[in-house]
């Protein structure tokens, strides 16, 4: 695919947005290629995804400002739908997605990282929602996901002021889980992905579903969702394997995603 590379290492898939000349900005082609990369993930084999940016400087420097500049109302709406559909697809993708943020994560770049389950970043990462300085609102979920992740007070400050924050501040406010030197970022992402991939895949998927769906509803509805997800794990090979290993005092577990 032109602007997006997809490779696998065992049960881990790595998607790289690779348009370094434009700091990996999201134009329509990148969004199409990203969609195609997600289509290509073999969910029978892959248990965790990593999303990162090509080059050493940028994760994603936002939606493509050049492409947006001339859009009319219909074109703007079509672009908005295309982006939002993909971001929602990442958020509800059946397996966990880790954003390995290796530089600029501005506008749509910050937003795509927030549609991932977990964010870790390099020490040169820069996060921000600069849209109000461009005369628009965040449009790929920034007003919604940032407030949910870091609280409305900090989200409002960042969005209204359009200020960028460095990796250490992103860590302090809980936007990222960890910060690494650039060269250690991808190895750390792979290590975390492998740890996730070693657990029972059906259980991990049900956890993602329960957390994501539970965040949208009341605690009572959320715990009902949790009960349903818990139930879904039973009668599976992997539930018998996981509990069997404990009862037999066996360290090795053979989870087969069934
Ligand atoms: N779009 C297009 N090209 C970009 C770009 C972007 N967002 N960011 C960088 N580039 C391009 C530059 O134009 C330049 O191209 P050439 O001039 O070499 O052809 C190349 O990448 C290198 O950039 P710089 O020369 O500027 O590199 P610097 O290191 O000096 O600066 C920078 C890096 C990231 C600080 C700077 O490039 C910058 O400020 N970029 C713009 C960042 C930004 O404002 N991002 C937010 C974009 S707005 C919506 C949906 C979505 C959105 C909104 C609404 N609806 C559904 C309603 C999303 C909006 C956004 O994401």
């Amino acid at each position: 695919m032109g602007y997006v590379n997809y490779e696998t290492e065992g049960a881990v898939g790595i998607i790289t947005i690779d348009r370094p000349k434009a700091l990996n900005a999201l134009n329509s082609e990148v969004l199409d290629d990203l969609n195609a990369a997600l289509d290509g993930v073999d969910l029978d084999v892959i248990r965790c995804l990593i999303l990162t940016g090509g080059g050493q400087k940028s994760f994603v420097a936002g939606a493509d400002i050049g492409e947006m500049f001339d859009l009319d109302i219909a074109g703007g709406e079509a672009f908005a739908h295309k982006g939002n559909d993909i971001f929602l697809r990442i958020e509800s993708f059946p397996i966990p997605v880790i954003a390995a943020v290796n530089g600029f994560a501005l506008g749509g770049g910050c937003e795509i990282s927030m549609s991932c389950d977990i964010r870790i970043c390099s020490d040169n990462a820069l996060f921000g929602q600069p849209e109000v300085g461009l005369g628009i609102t965040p449009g790929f979920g920034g007003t919604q996901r940032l407030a949910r992740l870091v609280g409305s007070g900090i989200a409002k400050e960042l969005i209204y002021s359009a200020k960028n924050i460095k990796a250490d501040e992103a860590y302090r406010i809980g936007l990222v889980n960890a910060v690494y030197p650039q060269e250690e970022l991808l190895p750390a992402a792979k290590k975390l992905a492998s740890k996730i991939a070693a657990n029972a895949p059906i259980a991990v998927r049900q956890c993602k579903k329960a957390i994501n769906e539970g965040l949208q509803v009341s605690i009572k509805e959320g715990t009902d969702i949790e009960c349903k997800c818990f139930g879904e794990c039973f009668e599976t090979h992997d539930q018998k394997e996981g509990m069997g290993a404990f009862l037999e005092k066996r360290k090795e577990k053979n989870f087969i995603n069934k």
Side-chain angles (χ1 to χ4, degrees):
M1 275 164 291
Y3 288 132
V4 176
N5 302 322
Y6 177 57
E7 56 193 313
T8 61
E9 284 184 22
V12 176
I14 303 150
I15 294 179
T16 306
I17 298 175
D18 199 19
R19 193 188 170 211
K21 279 189 182 154
L23 303 181
N24 305 322
L26 303 172
N27 63 10
S28 297
E29 267 180 275
V30 175
L31 293 173
D32 286 338
D33 291 350
L34 194 51
N35 219 5
L38 293 172
D39 287 340
V41 176
D42 182 351
L43 290 170
D44 290 332
V45 176
I46 301 303
R47 298 179 181 182
C48 189
L49 277 180
I50 295 169
L51 178 68
T52 193
Q56 302 283 301
K57 195 173 167 183
S58 184
F59 173 66
V60 170
D64 191 298
I65 299 171
E67 180 173 338
M68 286 192 292
F69 181 75
D70 277 328
L71 290 179
D72 57 12
I73 291 173
E77 198 175 326
F79 185 66
H81 277 300
K82 184 178 275 218
N84 271 309
D85 288 353
I86 294 171
F87 285 30
L88 285 167
R89 188 173 178 199
I90 292 170
E91 186 167 59
S92 59
F93 208 63
I95 56 176
V97 184
I98 299 169
V101 178
N102 57 317
F104 296 119
L106 303 174
C110 186
E111 288 169 306
I112 199 169
S113 82
M114 292 191 291
S115 71
C116 298
D117 295 272
I118 295 167
R119 283 149 299 288
I120 60 177
C121 75
S122 54
D123 48 13
N124 67 329
L126 196 70
F127 293 82
Q129 297 290 159
E131 286 86 350
V132 294
L134 295 165
I136 55 175
T137 66
F140 288 154
T143 57
Q144 303 306 304
R145 293 194 181 95
L146 189 58
R148 281 168 170 78
L149 276 169
V150 304
S152 64
I154 292 175
K156 285 175 176 175
E157 181 182 338
L158 292 176
I159 291 171
Y160 299 169
S161 69
K163 73 176 180 187
N164 294 335
I165 55 168
K166 293 183 178 171
D168 55 348
E169 178 69 354
Y171 177 67
R172 193 187 68 77
I173 64 174
L175 183 55
V176 299
N177 291 12
V179 182
Y180 298 93
Q182 175 78 252
E183 65 280 7
E184 290 173 25
L185 177 65
L186 211 50
K190 288 178 186 175
K191 193 172 168 195
L192 177 58
S194 299
K195 201 164 170 51
I196 291 170
N199 288 315
I202 294 170
V204 172
R205 288 184 190 202
Q206 292 297 331
C207 289
K208 173 166 179 169
K209 192 171 147 69
I211 294 169
N212 281 0
E213 291 182 14
L215 281 171
Q216 314 302 324
V217 297
S218 71
I219 187 77
K220 170 70 180 89
E221 290 166 299
T223 49
D224 285 346
I225 292 169
E226 188 181 76
C227 292
K228 178 108 183 68
C229 292
F230 181 73
E232 292 290 334
C233 299
F234 286 80
E235 299 182 38
T236 64
H237 166 279
D238 289 348
Q239 174 254 325
K240 293 277 179 286
E241 174 66 10
M243 291 189 175
F246 175 80
L247 294 172
E248 293 158 22
K249 303 191 186 308
R250 169 162 59 84
K251 272 216 162 84
E252 290 307 312
K253 292 175 215 166
N254 181 28
F255 292 127
I256 61 171
N257 200 13
K258 287 198 166 66

